[in-house]
């Protein structure tokens, strides 16, 4: 029984992931690109949900929105407008989608809605949904405006605040996170880890295997106790200059002593008598 549960559970997870991916793929991009496909994949946690909001018009229309799903049960409609008689007007189709991604927001555009009756040159309606990051767990859907006072390029604007697009959100697809550590920081971390392993392992070995006590438990104590002297000797050898050239022999000074008076030589005996 336990083995069956272990086998069936991953299958359910796998099927759920495939189903979510297929729902997102229902959105057909007008100009497919890798960036837009990646942006749509971030909205997978919002699929299979219907978001509704009442407008500010006199008739109090109800707007229904789905991510890549049939809003209000209307086929291919991503966003619809519903009047008090439950009549639906297609605002935009998810089969004509655009997706623009920012740092913590995404602009989802549904085009190909029903044509305007009299204004906006009777062009097709278009829905723009600004999906933004919100720390609140509640998905807050609201209507902003209907810009239909110009001849062309009219649109409906909506907002959806959700935590799905927040950076670091666990419900978002797993992405590779680039390391923010520099090479020097990684090197220092490795050095400190190696030093910690060396000190801990050496201490345990000296204490448990060798049976050392006191400071002798420190690994390679004899070497580290002499490291100061060795460093000083090395510095003395490298930094201090020594003049080993042979000095020329110095000459000894000649001592001048005052000469004594020489005895007067008399040559009287050389004179003829």
């Amino acid at each position: 029984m336990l083995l069956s549960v272990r086998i069936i559970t991953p299958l359910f997870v796998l099927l759920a992931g495939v189903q979510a991916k297929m729902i997102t793929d229902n959105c057909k991009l007008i100009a497919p690109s890798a960036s837009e496909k990646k942006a749509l994949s971030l909205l997978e946690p919002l699929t299979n949900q219907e978001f509704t909001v009442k407008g500010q018009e006199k008739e109090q229309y109800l707007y229904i929105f789905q991510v890549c799903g049939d809003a209000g049960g209307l086929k291919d409609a991503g966003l619809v407008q519903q009047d008090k008689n439950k009549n639906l007007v297609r605002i935009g189709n998810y089969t004509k989608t655009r997706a623009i991604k920012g740092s913590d927001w995404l602009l989802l555009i549904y085009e190909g809605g029903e044509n305007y009756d009299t204004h906006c040159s009777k062009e097709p309606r278009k829905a723009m949904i600004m999906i933004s990051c919100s720390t609140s767990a509640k998905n807050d859907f609201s209507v902003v405006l209907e810009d239909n006072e110009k001849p062309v390029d009219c649109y409906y604007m909506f907002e959806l605040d959700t935590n799905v697009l927040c950076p670091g959100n666990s419900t978002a697809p797993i992405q590779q996170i680039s390391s923010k550590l520099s090479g020097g920081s990684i090197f220092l971390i490795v050095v400190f880890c190696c030093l910690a392993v060396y000190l801990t392992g050496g201490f345990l070995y000296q204490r448990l295997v060798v049976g050392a006590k006191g400071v002798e438990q420190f690994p390679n104590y004899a070497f580290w106790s002499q490291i100061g002297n060795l460093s000083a000797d090395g510095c003395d050898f490298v930094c201090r200059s020594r003049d080993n050239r042979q000095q020329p022999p110095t000459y000894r000074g000649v001592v001048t002593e005052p000469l004594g008076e020489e005895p007067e030589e008399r040559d009287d005996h050389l004179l003829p008598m």
Side-chain angles (χ1 to χ4, degrees):
M1 181 64 179
L2 181 59
L3 181 60
S4 300
V5 173
R6 290 181 178 177
I7 295 175
I8 293 174
T9 302
L11 290 177
F12 276 117
V13 174
L14 180 60
L15 290 175
V18 172
Q19 183 183 11
K21 189 175 187 302
M22 290 176 61
I23 292 175
T24 306
D25 288 343
N26 288 340
C27 281
K28 304 303 180 183
L29 295 170
I30 297 176
S33 64
S35 60
E36 290 193 69
K37 291 180 180 179
K38 184 178 179 181
L40 280 177
S41 68
L42 299 176
L43 301 180
E44 289 182 4
L46 299 178
T47 57
N48 285 328
Q49 300 182 51
E50 200 165 68
F51 306 95
T52 60
V53 62
K54 288 186 178 181
Q56 302 299 323
E57 305 90 352
K58 295 179 180 180
E59 293 83 357
Q60 283 282 310
Y61 291 117
L62 180 68
Y63 294 94
I64 306 173
F65 164 63
Q66 275 204 36
V67 176
C68 302
D70 296 334
L74 190 61
K75 183 174 176 56
D76 296 338
L79 199 147
V80 297
Q81 181 189 68
Q82 178 180 288
D83 60 16
K84 60 182 179 180
N85 297 322
K86 306 295 182 180
N87 297 319
L88 299 178
V89 176
R90 187 188 304 267
I91 304 299
N93 291 328
Y94 58 80
T95 53
K96 293 184 177 180
T97 302
R98 292 181 181 178
I100 304 173
K101 177 70 173 66
S103 58
D104 58 353
W105 56 268
L106 189 150
L107 180 60
L108 187 66
I109 304 174
Y110 288 154
E111 297 186 7
E114 295 184 20
N115 294 343
Y116 284 98
D117 296 329
T118 56
H119 44 284
C120 295
S121 302
K122 297 184 180 181
E123 68 178 5
R125 289 175 171 85
K126 177 172 58 178
M128 304 176 68
I129 304 96
M130 175 62 72
I131 306 174
S132 305
C133 166
S134 174
T135 56
S136 175
K138 181 180 178 181
N139 296 323
D140 187 13
F141 183 58
S142 61
V143 58
V144 179
L145 61 90
E146 178 188 1
D147 188 2
N148 57 4
E149 300 298 331
K150 50 188 180 181
V152 292
D153 201 19
C154 300
Y155 60 87
Y156 292 77
M157 173 64 74
F158 300 86
E159 285 184 346
L160 175 61
D161 294 331
T162 176
N163 61 357
V164 169
L165 295 181
C166 295
N169 181 46
S170 59
T171 60
I174 300 175
Q175 299 177 351
Q176 183 178 5
I177 302 176
S178 59
S179 176
K180 296 182 179 180
L181 296 177
S182 62
S185 301
I186 296 176
F187 174 75
L188 291 178
I189 292 174
V190 172
V191 169
F192 281 119
C193 290
C194 294
L195 181 61
V197 171
Y198 165 74
L199 293 176
T200 305
F203 176 82
L204 294 176
Y205 177 82
Q206 290 291 108
R207 183 179 180 85
L208 301 178
V209 179
V210 181
K213 302 293 182 181
V215 294
E216 298 293 335
Q217 299 175 91
F218 194 86
N220 301 109
Y221 173 75
F223 169 77
W224 294 112
S225 61
Q226 297 295 325
I227 193 67
N229 294 334
L230 295 175
S231 300
D233 293 341
C235 181
D236 181 69
F237 178 79
V238 174
C239 300
R240 292 186 179 180
S241 61
R242 296 182 178 180
D243 193 357
N244 295 324
R245 294 176 300 177
Q246 294 182 354
Q247 296 292 338
T250 57
Y251 294 95
R252 296 177 62 184
V254 178
V255 179
T256 57
E257 296 181 355
L259 297 177
E261 294 183 359
E262 294 182 358
E264 182 181 356
E265 294 182 2
R266 301 181 63 86
D267 52 358
D268 295 343
H269 61 281
L270 297 177
L271 296 176
M273 295 301 293

